[in-house]
Each structure stands twice: as C-alpha cells, then as structure tokens.
C-alpha cells in the first residue's frame, strides 16, 4: 500500500487523538469517584436501614406503652370500684374480706405494671436517642453521597468536554486520508488499540520493540511512499528523520 509521506505523518495526529479518546473511555470506566459513589450509596442504605429499624422499634414500644397504660387504668378503675363498695357499707362481711383481698392483689398488680411501664419508658427514651443519632448519621451519609456525586459529575463533565473536542478533531482529520490507508489504520487500531505510531530510534512507537538490523535495512530501502507496518504488532510505522534509518 502506498500513501504520500505527509499523509502518513498525519496519521500520528489521528493516533494521538484516538489515544486520548481511549484514555477518556478508560478513565470513564475506572473513575475512583464511581467507587466512592457506590460506597456512599451503600453507607446511605445502611444508615437508612438503621433509622427505619429504630423508628420501627420506637413504634412498637409506643404501642406497648399505650397497652400498659390502658391496663394500669383498668386496674385503677377496679380499685376505685372496690374502694367505693367498701366505703358504701352495703356489702357483707365475707364480701368485704373478698374485696380487701382483691384490693391487695390489685395494688400488687398495679405496682408491677407501673414498674414495667417505667422500664418501657426508659427503653423508649434510649431508642429515641438512638433514632436521633441514626438520623444525624443518615444526614451525614446523604451529604457524603451528594458530595461524591458532585465530584463524579464534575470529572465526567470534563471527560465529556475532552471527548467532544477530540471527536471534532477526528472528524476534521479523517477525510484527509485515502480510504485504503484509513481502513488499515482502523483495522489495526481495533485489534491492537494503536493503529499508527512513530518509528523512532529504530523502535516501534506502538509496541516499543526495537527492530533488528535486517528489518531496519529493509525499511530503509523501502520507498518513502510505501506504507510500512510493524511485524510484531501490525501498527503502521511512520518514518521521519527521528527513525534512525
């Protein structure tokens, strides 16, 4: 394949554009900010779960407190009724004894219920404090996630800008190459990632392998308009005075 030496040298500009586009794509896939966002999302979910668990426990305790208070009220009502009967003097001696016995039992029951209620209230207070702490931690996690998203978006915006600029340069360069040369370049780039590189100091700029004497002699004897490829990586080797020929 033949191509004007100046056109071949233009391939280096295209290769430089494609190299940066490849770096942009690689960086877009491997941004540390992506890992930070993923970790921050996990942290937010964990803090959110902790907050939900605390709220659920608090709601359960509130229901238990109400049930306990209702039971205490029922015991007090029964006590008031019994005391009223005793005070009324209308009951028999046996009924009086039974009422007094029942009052003693109700008082013990009330004491037990009130102790249990106090314990529930103490537990509720502790859970409520835990819930407040979980809310603070969730807010911090959400703030960290927002910051990670912001930094990720800033980097991606910069990459998008670079990609758009380089795409525009590529669109300007591509029409200047003959189709066979461009097809060869694209085919090699697709398979080896680098389609063309400078032959500098007898070394292929794509695979960095130094050519032996026979290869150098063969290339030196090749007309300047002949397209030369690397026997190792297949990249188009562009010859300039730096090539060491």
């Amino acid at each position: 394949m033949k191509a004007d030496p100046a056109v071949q040298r233009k391939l280096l500009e295209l290769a430089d554009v494609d190299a940066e586009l490849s770096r942009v794509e690689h960086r877009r896939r491997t941004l540390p900010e992506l890992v930070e966002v993923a970790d921050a999302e996990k942290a937010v979910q964990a803090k959110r779960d902790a907050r939900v668990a605390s709220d659920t426990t608090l709601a359960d305790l509130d229901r238990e407190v109400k049930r306990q208070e209702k039971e205490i009220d029922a015991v007090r009502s029964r006590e008031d009724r019994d005391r009223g009967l005793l005070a009324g003097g209308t009951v028999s001696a046996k009924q009086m004894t039974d009422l007094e016995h029942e009052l003693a039992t109700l008082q013990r029951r009330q004491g037990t219920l009130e102790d249990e209620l106090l314990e529930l209230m103490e537990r509720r207070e502790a859970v409520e404090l835990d819930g407040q702490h979980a809310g603070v931690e969730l807010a911090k996690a959400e703030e960290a996630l927002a910051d990670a998203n912001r930094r990720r978006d800033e980097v991606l915006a910069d990459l998008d800008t670079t990609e758009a600029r380089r795409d525009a340069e590529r669109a300007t360069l591509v029409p200047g190459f003959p189709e066979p040369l461009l097809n060869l370049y694209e085919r090699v780039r697709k398979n080896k990632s680098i389609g063309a590189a400078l032959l500098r100091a007898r070394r292929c700029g794509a695979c960095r392998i130094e050519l032996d004497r026979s290869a150098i002699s063969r290339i030196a004897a090749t007309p300047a308009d002949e397209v030369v490829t690397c026997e190792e990586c297949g990249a188009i080797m562009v010859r300039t005075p730096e090539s060491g020929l």
Side-chain angles (χ1 to χ4, degrees):
M1 183 184 297
K2 292 184 179 295
D4 185 277
V7 174
Q8 292 188 47
R9 287 193 291 273
K10 272 286 185 180
L11 279 176
L12 296 177
E13 295 182 34
L14 181 60
D16 180 63
V17 168
D18 286 335
E20 185 163 10
L21 285 171
S22 294
R23 288 193 294 271
V24 165
E25 183 58 30
H26 175 74
R27 192 175 178 207
R28 185 179 279 119
R29 293 194 309 268
T30 59
L31 281 179
E33 287 81 3
L34 294 177
V35 177
E36 291 176 14
V37 168
D39 289 343
E41 287 175 340
K42 291 178 182 177
V44 166
Q45 189 58 54
K47 301 300 183 185
R48 190 169 289 145
D49 290 345
R51 177 64 183 270
V52 169
S54 177
D55 289 346
T56 301
T57 301
L58 191 61
D60 291 342
L61 286 171
D62 282 340
R63 283 193 294 272
E64 185 63 19
V65 165
K66 289 180 180 178
R67 187 195 65 78
Q68 200 80 353
E69 288 175 339
K70 186 176 180 180
E71 190 169 352
I72 290 173
D73 287 342
V75 170
R76 286 174 178 168
S77 295
R78 186 65 177 265
E79 282 185 272
D80 290 342
R81 191 208 65 167
D82 288 354
R83 292 185 192 282
L85 290 173
L86 286 174
T90 59
V91 295
S92 65
K94 182 179 183 308
Q95 288 177 318
M96 185 176 296
T97 300
D98 291 341
L99 287 172
E100 289 174 347
H101 177 72
E102 185 175 86
L103 277 172
T105 301
L106 289 172
Q107 287 173 352
R108 289 194 298 271
R109 178 60 179 160
Q110 182 177 334
T112 300
L113 290 173
E114 288 176 345
D115 288 343
E116 291 175 353
L117 177 61
L118 179 60
E119 182 181 346
L120 282 172
M121 296 299 291
E122 290 173 347
R123 285 175 56 196
R124 188 192 182 285
E125 183 179 358
V127 170
E128 188 173 25
L129 289 174
D130 288 343
Q132 292 172 0
H133 177 71
V136 171
E137 291 299 306
L138 175 59
K140 289 180 181 178
E142 289 175 337
E143 183 178 349
L145 175 58
D147 181 63
N149 278 323
R150 177 186 55 77
R151 287 184 286 105
R152 178 205 58 192
D153 292 345
E154 286 176 354
V155 174
L156 288 176
D158 289 342
L159 292 176
D160 288 344
T161 299
T162 300
E163 185 177 49
R165 175 171 54 82
R166 286 304 204 172
D167 280 339
E169 291 178 24
R170 196 176 201 281
T172 301
L173 287 169
V174 165
F177 299 104
E179 188 175 348
L181 180 64
L182 185 62
N183 289 341
L184 174 61
Y185 169 85
E186 295 290 10
R187 185 169 62 253
V188 175
R189 185 172 72 92
K190 182 178 179 181
N191 294 329
K192 302 293 183 178
S193 77
I194 299 178
L198 177 64
L199 175 61
R200 175 183 289 144
R202 304 184 178 186
R203 189 182 295 275
C204 172
C207 63
R208 307 297 182 183
I209 292 178
E210 185 174 355
L211 281 63
D212 59 29
R213 289 183 179 181
S214 62
I216 290 297
S217 298
R218 176 177 56 79
I219 294 172
T222 302
D225 63 348
E226 187 76 27
V227 176
V228 176
T229 58
C230 176
E231 293 181 354
E232 292 294 332
C233 68
I236 298 170
M237 291 191 296
V238 179
R239 290 167 286 170
T240 71
E242 299 181 56
S243 299
L245 302 175

